[in-house]
Amino acid sequence: QVQLVESGGGLVQAGGSLRLSCAASGRTFSNSAMGWFRQAPGKEREFVAGIRWSGGTPYYTDSVKGRFTISRDNAKNTVYLQMNSLKPEDTAVYYCNNVGSRDWRPLGSWGQGTQVTVSS
């Protein structure tokens, strides 16, 4: 089991940027595909971005393509989400999780998440 701690959220104006971090411990991190998810108030949690253990070509949901970048540092057991050109609709609690490398479905337990609030 991988334990996950998300950080880096905050309040930002539309058009601004934030960088989220997800620190993992426990089971080997470097062999795991990792993903970022988000849950807005009153909505279901949705997949945002994913990256396989070797890096390679990341995957993004359409609404964040060209604005968000996922990356990982296996030496630090950390995955990042750089978010640029933020929009009010990006407001949500953001979570990371170990995911399936083919279908990007979450495989582990959820952490506490980090709140991102984008003001207009």
Side-chain angles (χ1 to χ4, degrees), residues 4-18:
L4 305 165
V5 178
E6 302 92 344
S7 63
L11 174 64
V12 64
Q13 289 187 333
S17 298
L18 285 173

Side-chain angles (χ1 to χ4, degrees), residues 28-46:
T28 303
F29 169 83
S30 60
N31 292 334
S32 302
M34 297 296 296
W36 282 97
F37 297 77
R38 66 186 180 187
Q39 187 167 21
K43 296 186 177 181
E44 293 187 353
R45 186 152 28 202
E46 65 170 346

Side-chain angles (χ1 to χ4, degrees), residues 27-102:
R27 188 170 64 86
T28 303
F29 169 83
S30 60
N31 292 334
S32 302
M34 297 296 296
W36 282 97
F37 297 77
R38 66 186 180 187
Q39 187 167 21
K43 296 186 177 181
E44 293 187 353
R45 186 152 28 202
E46 65 170 346
F47 173 80
V48 174
I51 186 167
R52 295 180 175 85
W53 71 271
S54 60
T57 303
Y59 181 85
Y60 301 94
T61 194
D62 287 345
S63 61
V64 307
K65 284 180 180 177
R67 301 188 298 121
F68 290 10
T69 302
I70 188 172
S71 61
R72 64 189 297 162
D73 185 336
N74 289 341
K76 295 183 178 180
N77 285 355
T78 302
V79 62
Y80 305 97
L81 186 68
Q82 178 67 44
M83 306 187 296
N84 298 328
S85 301
L86 282 161
K87 304 175 180 180
E89 51 263 43
D90 294 318
T91 295
V93 179
Y94 283 71
Y95 303 87
C96 63
N97 208 329
N98 174 214
V99 296
S101 61
R102 294 186 177 183

